Amino acid sequence: MLSQADNEFLTRSGKGTPMGELLRRFWIPALLSEELPERDGPQKKIRIMGEDLLAFRQTDGRVGIVGPHCPHRGANLYFGRNEECGLRCSFHGWKFDIDGNCIDLPTSPPESSYKDTIKLLAYPTREWGDMIWVYMGPRELMPELPQLEMALVPASSRFVTKKWQDCNWVQSLEGAIDTSHFSFLHKVLATDEESARRAMSNAALGDQAKPDDRVRWVQNDPRPRFQVLGHETGLVIGGGRKTDSPDLYWRIAQFLMPNHAYTPAAFPGEVYYGQSWVPVDDVNCWIYSYCWQPERPFTNSERAKYRGGFNVHSEVDADYKPLRNRANDYLRDRSVQKNENFTGITGVSEQDAAIQDSQGPIQDRTKEHLGPTDIGIVEFRKLMMGTARRLAAGEAPNQPRLASRYAVRSGGWVAAPEKDLATVMAERFGHDRGYIGNQYGLGD
């Protein structure tokens, strides 16, 4: 458990808080590209880590993320015009570009240099991997974008969306890297073939359309043997479960600083899944969910499956709010809970959200009692809080400067019981040049 002070330290992300300042040293997703579909289109209100901002795509296609209030007399630029590479205030016509420069001041004499002294808050942006990223830290320390593999593959080989969640971002991320919960939260109860197929359609234990050995191994062994390895940009969290032989079934997850995590299911040739958490404020967050297949494009039927809510993806409305949510009790069905799956809720993403939201807007970690399967949670907190404390003491985090080291993978493997996680990773990832094996000197 944490002290109340440590719980506040871990979960608060506003400007000036230790964790908020740490998050601001990294590029983070701010929007999906599809949310700003047209040049000179309507600007969009967004809120990130407690800061109210406006996003707009200007005439040349570039995206700006700026403060909402005109520096003249505070009018909200949401009511302004997006025109000719800038936002023009509707009050007195002052105009600003995506870098916050005042490029037109029609209320001052043409020869005046006054506009050169006026600045609008503006954050750097990059559009990459079907997302718009923002950097909210010191300009002079702006790093390169993290080289997540989902953004390195062709657009035809990835699918990206997002969903709203009604809780603090940390407890949602902790739920994702706690892979022991798969033995219960996503458990399939159905025994007849049709019910099992229906329950398994979102089981997030692989891409199989029906139950297989891996699903059974996860459900039958709720006490995986966990090991955690730190690397340059985060943590590898491995859990080994019993199989039908002496071998162990390893499920290897990734946490990448400060807010990305990959699911542990994929075998070679299967689809990889990941998520990135972005605090809206301290009690709400956006979760950017994505999947990619490095070896081929996705089919239309696969994309339809993801849009309908599969694995980390949620079925959402036009505003990216899940159709099954806290307000409607996630459409839980007690009959389904009794006969088909452990929660009575359809969708792995929704099952996760129901439990994470149920912990409260901000989980009270002073009352928790951790056990052996929580080692990944402990190491995550140590890494995040330790890095934030060092930053507060003047030591900048190193991870933002290691953009290429974010090109890692998660996944599953079966290995002999005497092999440790590092050895298992050498077998699973050693052939993936440039991926996690090489971080340990295990690759070629």
Side-chain angles (χ1 to χ4, degrees):
M1 66 179 67
L2 297 182
S3 68
Q4 184 61 41
D6 280 349
N7 200 38
E8 293 280 323
F9 185 99
L10 178 65
T11 57
R12 302 297 183 181
S13 62
K15 200 166 188 177
T17 65
M19 197 59 65
E21 292 304 303
L22 176 62
L23 291 170
R24 284 167 172 78
R25 294 299 182 99
F26 295 80
W27 287 97
I28 59 174
L31 293 157
L32 298 176
S33 293
E34 67 184 35
E35 295 183 76
L36 295 175
E38 58 181 302
R39 302 181 183 204
D40 293 335
Q43 50 270 48
K44 185 178 179 66
K45 295 178 181 178
I46 62 174
R47 184 171 171 83
I48 301 175
M49 293 184 285
E51 295 189 41
D52 291 313
L53 302 164
L54 289 178
F56 66 102
R57 188 182 296 279
Q58 65 177 22
T59 314
D60 61 7
R62 293 186 297 161
V63 172
I65 292 181
V66 299
H69 296 288
C70 179
H72 179 205
R73 286 170 57 190
N76 198 313
L77 292 168
Y78 177 73
F79 297 102
R81 293 171 55 87
N82 181 11
E83 60 180 27
E84 299 175 351
C85 287
L87 281 185
R88 187 180 294 277
C89 181
S90 291
F91 200 6
H92 294 92
W94 292 26
K95 184 178 177 182
F96 302 88
D97 66 14
I98 62 172
D99 296 315
N101 299 310
C102 184
I103 56 176
D104 190 23
L105 201 60
T107 57
S108 290
E111 67 275 10
S112 171
S113 62
Y114 182 46
K115 70 179 178 62
D116 298 331
T117 69
I118 307 298
K119 288 287 288 187
L120 176 69
L121 172 68
Y123 290 123
T125 67
R126 299 287 186 273
E127 193 162 6
W128 193 58
D130 300 324
M131 293 186 284
I132 296 162
W133 298 69
V134 64
Y135 175 72
M136 300 169 68
R139 286 285 187 115
E140 67 275 13
L141 299 176
M142 185 172 64
E144 297 179 22
L145 283 163
Q147 298 297 290
L148 305 177
E149 188 183 23
M150 57 78 59
L152 298 175
V153 300
S156 60
S157 297
R158 67 171 171 262
F159 183 88
V160 185
T161 187
K162 72 178 190 179
K163 70 163 189 173
W164 178 270
Q165 189 147 338
D166 294 302
C167 71
N168 180 262
W169 74 281
V170 175
Q171 70 204 53
S172 181
L173 193 155
E174 287 183 342
I177 61 175
D178 163 27
T179 63
S180 66
H181 78 263
F182 281 76
S183 297
F184 295 96
L185 183 60
H186 308 307
K187 188 172 186 176
V188 176
L189 304 176
T191 55
D192 66 277
E193 183 175 347
E194 179 57 32
S195 294
R197 181 175 287 108
R198 189 164 59 248
M200 276 302 303
S201 64
N202 282 306
L205 300 168
D207 287 328
Q208 297 71 32
K210 61 182 186 297
D212 72 348
D213 289 339
R214 287 184 268 167
V215 175
R216 182 165 48 81
W217 296 336
V218 168
Q219 296 190 162
N220 289 348
D221 187 358
R223 292 180 290 275
R225 186 180 82 185
F226 273 100
Q227 292 183 36
V228 179
L229 297 176
H231 59 82
E232 291 173 303
T233 54
L235 301 170
V236 176
I237 304 169
R241 285 178 166 90
K242 298 175 182 177
T243 66
D244 301 326
S245 72
D247 292 340
L248 292 180
Y249 168 40
W250 283 90
R251 303 179 76 245
I252 303 165
Q254 285 275 3
F255 165 68
L256 298 169
M257 289 282 287
N259 60 335
H260 316 287
Y262 294 168
T263 66
F267 270 56
E270 295 182 348
V271 177
Y272 295 88
Y273 295 88
Q275 295 173 289
S276 299
W277 286 259
V278 178
V280 174
D281 48 38
D282 290 336
V283 295
N284 300 285
C285 63
W286 285 112
I287 304 175
Y288 290 79
S289 304
Y290 38 86
C291 56
W292 69 99
Q293 221 303 351
E295 300 172 15
R296 62 170 177 81
F298 284 133
T299 65
N300 290 336
S301 62
E302 284 176 309
R303 292 183 178 276
K305 178 176 68 173
Y306 302 141
R307 278 191 294 271
F310 180 82
N311 203 293
V312 299
H313 300 293
S314 181
E315 192 174 9
V316 297
D317 64 17
D319 296 317
Y320 306 99
K321 303 295 179 68
L323 302 186
R324 297 177 289 282
N325 55 61
R326 185 175 63 179
N328 58 28
D329 281 339
Y330 313 90
L331 300 182
R332 183 207 61 244
D333 186 321
R334 292 296 190 190
S335 175
V336 171
Q337 185 175 27
K338 186 175 183 65
N339 298 297
E340 294 189 22
N341 72 45
F342 209 67
T343 61
I345 297 169
T346 298
V348 164
S349 178
E350 290 81 356
Q351 291 164 4
D352 285 334
I355 293 303
Q356 294 159 9
D357 294 348
S358 77
Q359 295 172 287
I362 301 177
Q363 180 195 351
D364 184 356
R365 292 169 179 80
T366 68
K367 297 178 179 178
E368 68 182 2
H369 296 80
L370 302 183
T373 61
D374 296 313
I375 182 174
I377 305 301
V378 172
E379 293 301 320
F380 160 77
R381 294 176 186 175
K382 287 165 59 177
L383 175 60
M384 290 293 289
M385 296 172 72
T387 308
R389 287 195 171 101
R390 288 190 292 273
L391 175 59
E395 180 183 342
N398 196 44
Q399 295 89 352
R401 296 192 290 268
L402 300 172
S404 66
R405 308 308 273 174
Y406 279 78
V408 301
R409 289 178 178 171
S410 61
W413 201 242
V414 176
E418 67 273 11
K419 295 180 179 179
D420 62 10
L421 178 57
T423 305
V424 173
M425 288 170 60
E427 293 182 3
R428 171 63 180 90
F429 302 107
H431 63 284
D432 293 339
R433 181 184 296 273
Y435 289 92
I436 189 64
N438 280 345
Q439 296 202 21
Y440 292 94
L442 301 173
D444 46 353

PDB file of all heavy atoms in Angstrom, residues 62-82:
ATOM      1  N   ARG A  62      -0.921  21.600 -41.308  1.00  0.00           N
ATOM      2  CA  ARG A  62      -0.297  21.397 -40.009  1.00  0.00           C
ATOM      3  C   ARG A  62      -1.303  21.651 -38.887  1.00  0.00           C
ATOM      4  O   ARG A  62      -2.257  22.417 -39.049  1.00  0.00           O
ATOM      5  CB  ARG A  62       0.926  22.289 -39.852  1.00  0.00           C
ATOM      6  CG  ARG A  62       2.079  21.932 -40.779  1.00  0.00           C
ATOM      7  CD  ARG A  62       3.301  22.771 -40.446  1.00  0.00           C
ATOM      8  NE  ARG A  62       3.047  24.203 -40.657  1.00  0.00           N
ATOM      9  CZ  ARG A  62       3.787  25.166 -40.113  1.00  0.00           C
ATOM     10  NH1 ARG A  62       4.814  24.864 -39.314  1.00  0.00           N
ATOM     11  NH2 ARG A  62       3.500  26.436 -40.355  1.00  0.00           N
ATOM     12  N   VAL A  63      -1.040  21.031 -37.735  1.00  0.00           N
ATOM     13  CA  VAL A  63      -1.969  21.119 -36.607  1.00  0.00           C
ATOM     14  C   VAL A  63      -1.363  21.971 -35.509  1.00  0.00           C
ATOM     15  O   VAL A  63      -0.176  21.842 -35.175  1.00  0.00           O
ATOM     16  CB  VAL A  63      -2.301  19.718 -36.060  1.00  0.00           C
ATOM     17  CG1 VAL A  63      -3.102  19.810 -34.761  1.00  0.00           C
ATOM     18  CG2 VAL A  63      -3.080  18.913 -37.102  1.00  0.00           C
ATOM     19  N   GLY A  64      -2.170  22.854 -34.950  1.00  0.00           N
ATOM     20  CA  GLY A  64      -1.763  23.655 -33.805  1.00  0.00           C
ATOM     21  C   GLY A  64      -2.550  23.273 -32.569  1.00  0.00           C
ATOM     22  O   GLY A  64      -3.725  22.910 -32.657  1.00  0.00           O
ATOM     23  N   ILE A  65      -1.893  23.311 -31.419  1.00  0.00           N
ATOM     24  CA  ILE A  65      -2.555  23.158 -30.124  1.00  0.00           C
ATOM     25  C   ILE A  65      -2.157  24.366 -29.292  1.00  0.00           C
ATOM     26  O   ILE A  65      -0.976  24.564 -28.978  1.00  0.00           O
ATOM     27  CB  ILE A  65      -2.172  21.843 -29.445  1.00  0.00           C
ATOM     28  CG1 ILE A  65      -2.757  20.666 -30.238  1.00  0.00           C
ATOM     29  CG2 ILE A  65      -2.665  21.810 -27.994  1.00  0.00           C
ATOM     30  CD1 ILE A  65      -2.465  19.306 -29.650  1.00  0.00           C
ATOM     31  N   VAL A  66      -3.144  25.189 -28.962  1.00  0.00           N
ATOM     32  CA  VAL A  66      -2.862  26.493 -28.365  1.00  0.00           C
ATOM     33  C   VAL A  66      -3.775  26.743 -27.174  1.00  0.00           C
ATOM     34  O   VAL A  66      -4.784  26.065 -26.975  1.00  0.00           O
ATOM     35  CB  VAL A  66      -3.071  27.620 -29.410  1.00  0.00           C
ATOM     36  CG1 VAL A  66      -2.128  27.441 -30.594  1.00  0.00           C
ATOM     37  CG2 VAL A  66      -4.526  27.680 -29.884  1.00  0.00           C
ATOM     38  N   GLY A  67      -3.405  27.749 -26.389  1.00  0.00           N
ATOM     39  CA  GLY A  67      -4.267  28.209 -25.320  1.00  0.00           C
ATOM     40  C   GLY A  67      -5.551  28.792 -25.889  1.00  0.00           C
ATOM     41  O   GLY A  67      -5.533  29.385 -26.977  1.00  0.00           O
ATOM     42  N   PRO A  68      -6.654  28.690 -25.177  1.00  0.00           N
ATOM     43  CA  PRO A  68      -7.937  29.087 -25.756  1.00  0.00           C
ATOM     44  C   PRO A  68      -8.235  30.578 -25.711  1.00  0.00           C
ATOM     45  O   PRO A  68      -9.136  31.038 -26.426  1.00  0.00           O
ATOM     46  CB  PRO A  68      -8.948  28.317 -24.908  1.00  0.00           C
ATOM     47  CG  PRO A  68      -8.289  28.167 -23.571  1.00  0.00           C
ATOM     48  CD  PRO A  68      -6.819  28.029 -23.868  1.00  0.00           C
ATOM     49  N   HIS A  69      -7.512  31.364 -24.910  1.00  0.00           N
ATOM     50  CA  HIS A  69      -7.902  32.748 -24.682  1.00  0.00           C
ATOM     51  C   HIS A  69      -6.977  33.730 -25.391  1.00  0.00           C
ATOM     52  O   HIS A  69      -5.752  33.686 -25.242  1.00  0.00           O
ATOM     53  CB  HIS A  69      -7.940  33.047 -23.188  1.00  0.00           C
ATOM     54  CG  HIS A  69      -8.985  32.260 -22.460  1.00  0.00           C
ATOM     55  ND1 HIS A  69     -10.331  32.518 -22.590  1.00  0.00           N
ATOM     56  CD2 HIS A  69      -8.879  31.202 -21.609  1.00  0.00           C
ATOM     57  CE1 HIS A  69     -11.022  31.666 -21.855  1.00  0.00           C
ATOM     58  NE2 HIS A  69     -10.164  30.843 -21.253  1.00  0.00           N
ATOM     59  N   CYS A  70      -7.569  34.607 -26.144  1.00  0.00           N
ATOM     60  CA  CYS A  70      -6.818  35.641 -26.845  1.00  0.00           C
ATOM     61  C   CYS A  70      -6.078  36.524 -25.834  1.00  0.00           C
ATOM     62  O   CYS A  70      -6.664  36.967 -24.836  1.00  0.00           O
ATOM     63  CB  CYS A  70      -7.778  36.486 -27.682  1.00  0.00           C
ATOM     64  SG  CYS A  70      -6.983  37.836 -28.584  1.00  0.00           S
ATOM     65  N   PRO A  71      -4.788  36.804 -26.057  1.00  0.00           N
ATOM     66  CA  PRO A  71      -4.030  37.635 -25.114  1.00  0.00           C
ATOM     67  C   PRO A  71      -4.510  39.085 -25.034  1.00  0.00           C
ATOM     68  O   PRO A  71      -4.093  39.813 -24.139  1.00  0.00           O
ATOM     69  CB  PRO A  71      -2.600  37.572 -25.669  1.00  0.00           C
ATOM     70  CG  PRO A  71      -2.555  36.378 -26.540  1.00  0.00           C
ATOM     71  CD  PRO A  71      -3.930  36.248 -27.116  1.00  0.00           C
ATOM     72  N   HIS A  72      -5.380  39.494 -25.953  1.00  0.00           N
ATOM     73  CA  HIS A  72      -5.868  40.874 -25.939  1.00  0.00           C
ATOM     74  C   HIS A  72      -6.743  41.112 -24.712  1.00  0.00           C
ATOM     75  O   HIS A  72      -6.333  41.748 -23.752  1.00  0.00           O
ATOM     76  CB  HIS A  72      -6.637  41.153 -27.239  1.00  0.00           C
ATOM     77  CG  HIS A  72      -7.214  42.524 -27.324  1.00  0.00           C
ATOM     78  ND1 HIS A  72      -8.316  42.817 -28.111  1.00  0.00           N
ATOM     79  CD2 HIS A  72      -6.847  43.684 -26.739  1.00  0.00           C
ATOM     80  CE1 HIS A  72      -8.596  44.101 -28.005  1.00  0.00           C
ATOM     81  NE2 HIS A  72      -7.718  44.660 -27.186  1.00  0.00           N
ATOM     82  N   ARG A  73      -7.940  40.533 -24.697  1.00  0.00           N
ATOM     83  CA  ARG A  73      -8.841  40.730 -23.565  1.00  0.00           C
ATOM     84  C   ARG A  73      -9.521  39.426 -23.143  1.00  0.00           C
ATOM     85  O   ARG A  73     -10.563  39.443 -22.501  1.00  0.00           O
ATOM     86  CB  ARG A  73      -9.876  41.808 -23.897  1.00  0.00           C
ATOM     87  CG  ARG A  73      -9.253  43.217 -23.883  1.00  0.00           C
ATOM     88  CD  ARG A  73     -10.167  44.285 -24.428  1.00  0.00           C
ATOM     89  NE  ARG A  73     -11.443  44.356 -23.721  1.00  0.00           N
ATOM     90  CZ  ARG A  73     -12.477  45.090 -24.154  1.00  0.00           C
ATOM     91  NH1 ARG A  73     -12.347  45.809 -25.270  1.00  0.00           N
ATOM     92  NH2 ARG A  73     -13.596  45.110 -23.478  1.00  0.00           N
ATOM     93  N   GLY A  74      -8.912  38.315 -23.499  1.00  0.00           N
ATOM     94  CA  GLY A  74      -9.344  37.036 -22.945  1.00  0.00           C
ATOM     95  C   GLY A  74     -10.498  36.359 -23.638  1.00  0.00           C
ATOM     96  O   GLY A  74     -11.036  35.374 -23.120  1.00  0.00           O
ATOM     97  N   ALA A  75     -10.919  36.852 -24.807  1.00  0.00           N
ATOM     98  CA  ALA A  75     -12.002  36.176 -25.528  1.00  0.00           C
ATOM     99  C   ALA A  75     -11.555  34.775 -25.923  1.00  0.00           C
ATOM    100  O   ALA A  75     -10.382  34.533 -26.220  1.00  0.00           O
ATOM    101  CB  ALA A  75     -12.389  36.977 -26.767  1.00  0.00           C
ATOM    102  N   ASN A  76     -12.497  33.851 -25.944  1.00  0.00           N
ATOM    103  CA  ASN A  76     -12.161  32.464 -26.271  1.00  0.00           C
ATOM    104  C   ASN A  76     -12.066  32.292 -27.783  1.00  0.00           C
ATOM    105  O   ASN A  76     -13.024  32.581 -28.524  1.00  0.00           O
ATOM    106  CB  ASN A  76     -13.213  31.518 -25.697  1.00  0.00           C
ATOM    107  CG  ASN A  76     -12.695  30.087 -25.623  1.00  0.00           C
ATOM    108  OD1 ASN A  76     -12.118  29.568 -26.566  1.00  0.00           O
ATOM    109  ND2 ASN A  76     -12.906  29.444 -24.469  1.00  0.00           N
ATOM    110  N   LEU A  77     -10.916  31.807 -28.235  1.00  0.00           N
ATOM    111  CA  LEU A  77     -10.679  31.629 -29.670  1.00  0.00           C
ATOM    112  C   LEU A  77     -11.484  30.484 -30.262  1.00  0.00           C
ATOM    113  O   LEU A  77     -11.486  30.300 -31.485  1.00  0.00           O
ATOM    114  CB  LEU A  77      -9.187  31.406 -29.916  1.00  0.00           C
ATOM    115  CG  LEU A  77      -8.307  32.632 -29.627  1.00  0.00           C
ATOM    116  CD1 LEU A  77      -6.832  32.238 -29.607  1.00  0.00           C
ATOM    117  CD2 LEU A  77      -8.563  33.737 -30.636  1.00  0.00           C
ATOM    118  N   TYR A  78     -12.174  29.734 -29.422  1.00  0.00           N
ATOM    119  CA  TYR A  78     -13.088  28.718 -29.942  1.00  0.00           C
ATOM    120  C   TYR A  78     -14.160  29.379 -30.819  1.00  0.00           C
ATOM    121  O   TYR A  78     -14.650  28.780 -31.767  1.00  0.00           O
ATOM    122  CB  TYR A  78     -13.740  27.967 -28.784  1.00  0.00           C
ATOM    123  CG  TYR A  78     -14.754  26.939 -29.217  1.00  0.00           C
ATOM    124  CD1 TYR A  78     -14.352  25.740 -29.812  1.00  0.00           C
ATOM    125  CD2 TYR A  78     -16.124  27.162 -29.042  1.00  0.00           C
ATOM    126  CE1 TYR A  78     -15.285  24.796 -30.217  1.00  0.00           C
ATOM    127  CE2 TYR A  78     -17.060  26.223 -29.438  1.00  0.00           C
ATOM    128  CZ  TYR A  78     -16.629  25.047 -30.025  1.00  0.00           C
ATOM    129  OH  TYR A  78     -17.562  24.111 -30.420  1.00  0.00           O
ATOM    130  N   PHE A  79     -14.494  30.619 -30.515  1.00  0.00           N
ATOM    131  CA  PHE A  79     -15.495  31.337 -31.289  1.00  0.00           C
ATOM    132  C   PHE A  79     -14.875  32.124 -32.435  1.00  0.00           C
ATOM    133  O   PHE A  79     -15.575  32.853 -33.149  1.00  0.00           O
ATOM    134  CB  PHE A  79     -16.281  32.283 -30.366  1.00  0.00           C
ATOM    135  CG  PHE A  79     -17.044  31.561 -29.300  1.00  0.00           C
ATOM    136  CD1 PHE A  79     -16.560  31.518 -28.004  1.00  0.00           C
ATOM    137  CD2 PHE A  79     -18.219  30.900 -29.596  1.00  0.00           C
ATOM    138  CE1 PHE A  79     -17.249  30.835 -27.010  1.00  0.00           C
ATOM    139  CE2 PHE A  79     -18.922  30.216 -28.618  1.00  0.00           C
ATOM    140  CZ  PHE A  79     -18.436  30.177 -27.317  1.00  0.00           C
ATOM    141  N   GLY A  80     -13.572  31.975 -32.614  1.00  0.00           N
ATOM    142  CA  GLY A  80     -12.886  32.678 -33.685  1.00  0.00           C
ATOM    143  C   GLY A  80     -12.963  31.930 -35.000  1.00  0.00           C
ATOM    144  O   GLY A  80     -13.651  30.921 -35.154  1.00  0.00           O
ATOM    145  N   ARG A  81     -12.213  32.444 -35.977  1.00  0.00           N
ATOM    146  CA  ARG A  81     -12.191  31.887 -37.333  1.00  0.00           C
ATOM    147  C   ARG A  81     -10.848  31.201 -37.586  1.00  0.00           C
ATOM    148  O   ARG A  81      -9.791  31.764 -37.303  1.00  0.00           O
ATOM    149  CB  ARG A  81     -12.400  32.991 -38.370  1.00  0.00           C
ATOM    150  CG  ARG A  81     -13.786  33.617 -38.338  1.00  0.00           C
ATOM    151  CD  ARG A  81     -13.832  34.838 -39.251  1.00  0.00           C
ATOM    152  NE  ARG A  81     -13.424  34.526 -40.611  1.00  0.00           N
ATOM    153  CZ  ARG A  81     -14.243  34.082 -41.564  1.00  0.00           C
ATOM    154  NH1 ARG A  81     -15.527  33.903 -41.299  1.00  0.00           N
ATOM    155  NH2 ARG A  81     -13.789  33.841 -42.783  1.00  0.00           N
ATOM    156  N   ASN A  82     -10.898  30.011 -38.144  1.00  0.00           N
ATOM    157  CA  ASN A  82      -9.706  29.294 -38.588  1.00  0.00           C
ATOM    158  C   ASN A  82      -9.533  29.616 -40.063  1.00  0.00           C
ATOM    159  O   ASN A  82     -10.259  29.091 -40.910  1.00  0.00           O
ATOM    160  CB  ASN A  82      -9.875  27.795 -38.355  1.00  0.00           C
ATOM    161  CG  ASN A  82      -8.654  26.990 -38.772  1.00  0.00           C
ATOM    162  OD1 ASN A  82      -7.589  27.547 -39.044  1.00  0.00           O
ATOM    163  ND2 ASN A  82      -8.800  25.679 -38.831  1.00  0.00           N
TER     164      ASN A  82
END
